[in-house]
Amino acid sequence: MRKSARYSTLAAAGLLALSSLTACANDAASTASTGSGKGTKVKIMVGGLDKVIYMPAMLTQRLGYFDAEGLNVELLTEPAGVQAETALVAGQVQGTVGFYDHTLDLQTKGKAVESVVQFSHAPGEVEVVSTKAAGDITSPKDFKGKKLGITSLGSSTDFLTKYLAVKNGVKVSDFSPVAVGAGATFISALQQGSIDGGMTTDPTVATILDKKAGKVLVDMRTPEGSQKALGGPYPSSSLYMQTDWVNSHKDTVQKLVNAFVKTLKWMSTHSAAEIAAKMPADYAQGDKALYTQSIRSTLPMFTDDGVMPENGPETVEKVLKAFNTNIQNADVDLSKTYTTEFVEAAK
């Protein structure tokens, strides 16, 4: 069932050129995770397979839930959600595991895309500051004149950083967003002073704290943190797909949602250590205890049923609207950015 409402939202950064997508294709293929080889074939692009915020994608495959639904799911990875979004729009994949806010952005560009299962009710993102800059940046009010790391321009980290700035009286033009990706590249930029701070997720956050390379400024890994920073629940990680494809492949979509809902329920009844044990060994990067801690810190962001949190879309619209003047005249129908049809059936 779809809820209806009409809201304005942003016309944000344009889609990446397809040539850029092609340039990333080899990287995506090299980190692909292929399913059993049996059943209905589906390709899903993930905005960073090893990011804890997108953990349900790989975990569902590791638990065998795709196979149980008769699906052969190939998981591909791109370092940023906006690149994963581009792969979907280009028709190279059938689904994207990324932030829900891209569905609003795409609607303003004439693209009908909807979230079919919502993994989270908080962003799972953390604004960190380097140890060196920690004395100068004690809140987002201090962003003016600073270089702040994001995964890429037009990404959800870009959106949220801009919102934190504007909410705290800093203009978007007053600071410099720097695309540094996540993981090792983000940490290196922080340590070398290429950025003063930035927004990232676990396991990058856990590694930064362990190396004493930085400190937490704003923690949005919990619903409480989301409420404090953003004023409400913020649905982020999700499986979103082109609406036309959803409507013409409802049986396949239902099987995907069934699998993901099973995973979310499994996550809600198992410990961080048990979850870590199911993930690929290399995700821990040689430190299983630290990886387990990163999962433990991020677990509160996840839903246990895949349902869109109440008032979540409205919070996202409010956040996007705050920093982009183009949205003042944009008109987005939030009811078309997500559907609860499949999660309701999965119950």
Side-chain angles (χ1 to χ4, degrees):
M1 298 197 26
R2 302 171 194 270
K3 301 177 182 178
S4 38
R6 293 187 68 82
Y7 291 84
S8 6
T9 190
L10 102 145
L15 293 174
L16 296 177
L18 292 184
S19 58
S20 172
L21 176 64
T22 302
C24 297
N26 290 338
D27 289 338
S30 68
T31 49
S33 172
T34 306
S36 64
K38 300 177 181 179
T40 304
K41 179 76 174 183
V42 181
K43 288 186 179 182
I44 296 176
M45 185 67 79
V46 184
L49 260 176
D50 58 350
K51 295 178 183 177
V52 178
I53 59 171
Y54 298 142
M55 185 170 59
M58 179 58 73
L59 185 57
T60 301
Q61 190 171 87
R62 302 283 286 190
L63 291 171
Y65 291 159
F66 290 138
D67 287 346
E69 291 289 334
L71 298 172
N72 174 21
V73 174
E74 182 179 3
L75 299 175
L76 300 166
T77 187
E78 283 285 8
V82 67
Q83 293 165 340
E85 165 199 294
T86 304
L88 178 70
V89 174
Q92 296 198 356
V93 296
Q94 288 73 54
T96 292
V97 170
F99 267 40
Y100 161 74
D101 53 22
H102 290 291
T103 68
L104 280 71
D105 177 34
L106 285 168
Q107 192 179 125
T108 68
K109 298 166 183 172
K111 305 295 183 182
V113 175
E114 62 186 6
S115 165
V116 296
V117 55
Q118 196 62 46
F119 299 162
S120 60
H121 45 196
E125 301 281 355
V126 178
E127 184 72 23
V128 298
V129 294
S130 70
T131 301
K132 181 179 179 181
D136 297 326
I137 307 175
T138 59
S139 85
K141 293 179 181 179
D142 301 321
F143 282 176
K144 187 173 182 178
K146 300 300 189 293
K147 296 173 291 184
L148 302 176
I150 56 175
T151 52
S152 66
L153 296 175
S155 66
S156 297
T157 53
D158 188 17
F159 295 162
L160 289 170
T161 301
K162 287 175 178 175
Y163 177 74
L164 290 179
V166 171
K167 180 187 177 185
N168 287 276
V170 178
K171 296 178 182 178
V172 170
S173 58
D174 285 342
F175 69 92
S176 301
V178 183
V180 292
T185 55
F186 186 101
I187 296 169
S188 177
L190 198 68
Q191 292 175 318
Q192 294 176 10
S194 302
I195 57 175
D196 302 299
M199 190 170 292
T200 190
T201 61
D202 276 312
T204 306
V205 176
T207 304
I208 288 169
L209 298 179
D210 184 63
K211 290 177 176 290
K212 296 181 171 51
K215 299 180 179 180
V216 172
L217 185 70
V218 180
D219 193 339
M220 295 178 285
R221 290 175 290 188
T222 67
E224 295 77 18
S226 178
Q227 179 70 41
K228 182 178 179 181
L230 307 175
Y234 196 92
S236 56
S237 306
S238 66
L239 172 66
Y240 62 84
M241 314 179 86
Q242 297 203 58
T243 301
D244 284 348
W245 199 91
V246 171
N247 290 337
S248 60
H249 297 80
K250 288 198 171 189
D251 183 59
T252 299
V253 176
Q254 186 64 63
K255 290 176 179 179
L256 284 167
V257 173
N258 289 346
F260 279 124
V261 170
K262 287 178 188 176
T263 297
L264 292 169
K265 182 63 67 177
W266 188 93
M267 288 168 58
S268 73
T269 57
H270 289 75
S271 68
E274 290 171 320
I275 295 171
K278 289 290 184 180
M279 300 298 286
D282 61 337
Y283 283 19
Q285 298 181 10
D287 194 331
K288 194 64 171 285
L290 189 63
Y291 181 59
T292 299
Q293 178 56 45
S294 73
I295 292 175
R296 185 177 298 112
S297 299
T298 306
L299 271 178
M301 73 173 280
F302 293 106
T303 69
D304 62 3
D305 56 9
V307 175
M308 175 66 73
E310 187 175 359
N311 299 322
E314 289 81 356
T315 303
V316 172
E317 186 271 339
K318 179 197 71 173
V319 166
L320 299 181
K321 184 177 181 180
F323 61 81
N324 193 299
T325 55
N326 291 334
I327 69 169
Q328 298 299 326
N329 298 315
D331 192 18
V332 169
D333 186 343
L334 288 183
S335 71
K336 294 181 179 179
T337 61
Y338 72 100
T339 176
T340 59
E341 172 186 349
F342 301 99
V343 291
E344 292 294 343
K347 290 181 180 180

